Amino acid sequence: MSNPGSFPTSASAHHDHAHTPLCRSCGAPTTAPTPAPWSGTSDSPPPAYRPIRLPAINAPTKTAAIVLSPVPQPLPVPPAAPPHAFQTPTKRITSPDDIARFHASLHGRHFLGFVAALSASVHGCKLSDPLPAPPSAAVSALLDLISALTALVASTPPLPHNSRYGNPAFRLWHEKLTDSASDLIARITSTAASPADLAGAEVELAPYLLDSFGNATRIDYGTGHETNFAAFLYCLARLGLITEPDYAAVVLRVFAAYLNLMRTLQDTYQLEPAGSHGVWGLDDFHFLPFIFGAAQLIDHKYMKPKSIHNPDILENFSKEYMYLACVAYVKKIKKGPFAEHSPMLDDISGVPNWKKVNSGLLKMYKAEVLEKVPIMQHFLFGSLIKWYES
């Protein structure tokens, strides 16, 4: 005989309770009317939720493929032997098939290997460290080139304008660059062992240089322009003007000066980011200084990737390490929580060591810059970086 005060034990009782809502206060079965669906004629709209991060419209694609891909390794630059047949370089990439053809080619592989070699040359090096070898004449000429272009900014002040981006004075600065490009390049080629062999090299080198500082029509700058500066350096290496003993100086002196000039141009003329990934990019403008900067910090005793969140470290060491300088610049120009405006950098700060950061960024550079048609459609091909039809 069952106890009247006991709980029901029958299967039907269990079945009933499984489908009947219970009151949280007394435990008794309760029912509630099904809410009517919202319609546009309702008195109050549904609540609007703001996500912590913006939709990943421009988030890096093929993330798993990037992680599983091999780390780009340093490769020697194949020398270009005289006699040279210099030509005006042209654009050749228009499709993903062209991208695949470029990366399968000799210069596609060795250009990425050149970037990896530059990165490897500055492992554990501060910007102020003495160079392993005195700067070569070509490196000194490159520094003079960047100094001359920096001086042009002082003589070309911004013009009054009401737009957020694109001060038209940048076009005047770029005109001065165009007018002086051949002479500046001639000073570099004159440092060759046999300058006569490089007669006419300005025809091929100038387009790379002119496209290294942004587009004068759109008044913008992005990773494609930065890649053209790397291509300019690669061409100099092919001509023997830059050699492997120069690589540390090229990164710690030349590229650091180039980055400083670009920051000056970006701030002075409000250059618009070209093809920015928004919050899903490392930086609105640059990629290579993150690669080189991570290489500088490899095996550092105290600073880890998570150290970017320490404002004292950024303040005291951003002048020595490019990665920290780039993060400090991002924090200066972007407002709000770091994890919201720079989720990629925030995620990278969780990587355990700088070696993994460096190798991951090299893979990401290949996938997100060198394999993107909108960026690489502006890449130039001539006799020094050849385009192979098949």
Side-chain angles (χ1 to χ4, degrees), residues 174-188:
H174 208 278
E175 283 181 13
K176 295 178 181 180
L177 164 64
T178 304
D179 294 339
S180 58
S182 294
D183 180 59
L184 293 172
I185 292 172
R187 297 178 192 177
I188 300 173

Side-chain angles (χ1 to χ4, degrees), residues 36-46:
W38 179 85
S39 67
T41 60
S42 299
D43 293 335
S44 60

Side-chain angles (χ1 to χ4, degrees), residues 14 18-19 32 36 81 195 225 247 260 263 276 296 317 333 372 390:
H14 281 294
H19 295 281
H225 301 104
Y247 284 4
N260 289 337
R263 293 302 192 200
S276 170
Q296 288 182 273
F317 295 98
I333 65 172
K372 296 299 184 185
S390 60

Side-chain angles (χ1 to χ4, degrees), residues 9 42 46 62 91 110 113 134 212 221 260 278 290 311 353-354 359 370:
T9 57
S42 299
K62 304 182 297 182
K91 301 173 184 179
H110 283 264
S212 296
Y221 175 90
N260 289 337
F290 289 95
N353 59 68
W354 289 108
S359 60
L370 300 184

Side-chain angles (χ1 to χ4, degrees), residues 124-339:
C125 298
K126 296 186 295 185
L127 290 175
S128 63
D129 281 350
L131 296 174
S136 66
V139 168
S140 297
L142 278 167
L143 291 172
D144 291 341
L145 179 151
I146 294 174
S147 295
L149 298 181
T150 303
L152 291 180
V153 178
S155 64
T156 316
L159 298 171
H161 79 126
N162 297 323
S163 302
R164 177 184 177 188
Y165 289 118
N167 193 294
F170 178 70
R171 296 191 177 110
L172 301 177
W173 180 88
H174 208 278
E175 283 181 13
K176 295 178 181 180
L177 164 64
T178 304
D179 294 339
S180 58
S182 294
D183 180 59
L184 293 172
I185 292 172
R187 297 178 192 177
I188 300 173
T189 57
S190 67
T191 64
S194 178
D197 290 338
L198 303 185
E202 298 87 353
V203 171
E204 186 155 342
L205 295 175
Y208 290 104
L209 182 67
L210 295 177
D211 211 26
S212 296
F213 300 94
N215 184 278
T217 302
R218 298 187 301 269
I219 314 183
D220 64 6
Y221 175 90
T223 51
H225 301 104
E226 179 186 69
T227 297
N228 267 310
F229 185 70
F232 176 69
L233 297 175
Y234 178 80
C235 290
L236 297 181
R238 286 219 65 206
L239 295 173
L241 295 166
I242 293 175
T243 60
E244 288 192 26
D246 296 321
Y247 284 4
V250 168
V251 176
L252 299 176
R253 300 293 186 268
V254 175
F255 192 86
Y258 167 76
L259 179 61
N260 289 337
L261 171 58
M262 285 316 311
R263 293 302 192 200
T264 299
L265 293 174
Q266 290 153 17
D267 293 342
T268 303
Y269 304 119
Q270 291 92 48
L271 302 188
E272 184 173 5
S276 170
H277 283 272
V279 299
W280 294 100
L282 296 178
D283 180 313
D284 284 340
F285 299 103
H286 294 281
F287 201 113
L288 290 178
F290 289 95
I291 295 175
F292 301 151
Q296 288 182 273
L297 287 159
I298 287 177
D299 296 330
H300 196 283
K301 289 183 179 180
Y302 309 110
M303 281 186 279
K304 307 300 180 186
K306 64 182 179 182
S307 298
I308 67 167
H309 300 296
N310 187 324
D312 290 335
I313 285 180
L314 292 182
E315 181 179 355
N316 293 320
F317 295 98
S318 60
K319 293 183 180 179
E320 293 287 6
Y321 299 99
M322 277 187 270
Y323 193 101
L324 300 182
C326 287
V327 171
Y329 185 81
V330 168
K331 289 190 173 185
K332 183 182 77 171
I333 65 172
K334 294 188 177 183
K335 306 302 179 185
F338 186 72

Side-chain angles (χ1 to χ4, degrees), residues 88-111:
T88 302
T90 58
K91 301 173 184 179
R92 304 299 296 267
I93 293 177
T94 60
S95 68
D97 288 342
D98 292 336
I99 291 283
R101 185 177 296 117
F102 169 63
H103 284 284
S105 70
L106 173 71
H107 293 297
R109 298 191 306 271
H110 283 264
F111 175 70

